[in-house]
Amino acid sequence: MALLPLSAHFENDVVALLIPVDDQDTARVVGQKIAEHVVGHRVAARSAPIRVRYEGRVLPPEQRIGEVGLGPLDHVEAFFDES
């Protein structure tokens, strides 16, 4: 377990975030950590699941962030998956 600070953005938000995550967190958990700073504040809540995108690729919800190859301050984007 290692701390991994990520640059993050939630789709349709205007603020970039610095989010500390654990390299053992799943993409689902990372999406929730990003959303807690945005959803209901600057982006309206929805019933759709939150997903995470890295370098244009949507990460599987149960994939551990440490397995993706992310480094400190790499950028991820969270979004509502309404498909």
Side-chain angles (χ1 to χ4, degrees), residues 42-53:
R42 293 181 302 276
V43 174
R46 298 184 197 162
S47 60
I50 295 169
R51 302 290 300 272
V52 174
R53 186 181 296 122

Side-chain angles (χ1 to χ4, degrees), residues 22-75:
D22 188 285
D23 67 350
Q24 295 300 304
D25 286 346
T26 63
R28 176 177 287 129
V29 170
V30 171
Q32 291 167 347
K33 287 181 177 183
I34 297 167
E36 73 183 57
H37 298 282
V38 177
V39 176
H41 302 284
R42 293 181 302 276
V43 174
R46 298 184 197 162
S47 60
I50 295 169
R51 302 290 300 272
V52 174
R53 186 181 296 122
Y54 173 61
E55 293 185 339
R57 180 173 52 108
V58 178
L59 303 178
E62 297 308 316
Q63 185 170 24
R64 298 201 183 280
I65 289 300
E67 299 169 348
V68 176
L70 287 154
L73 301 179
D74 279 353
H75 188 79

Side-chain angles (χ1 to χ4, degrees), residues 10-11 39 43-51 78-83:
F10 200 97
E11 188 174 64
V39 176
V43 174
R46 298 184 197 162
S47 60
I50 295 169
R51 302 290 300 272
F79 64 98
F80 288 111
D81 184 5
E82 299 187 294
S83 59

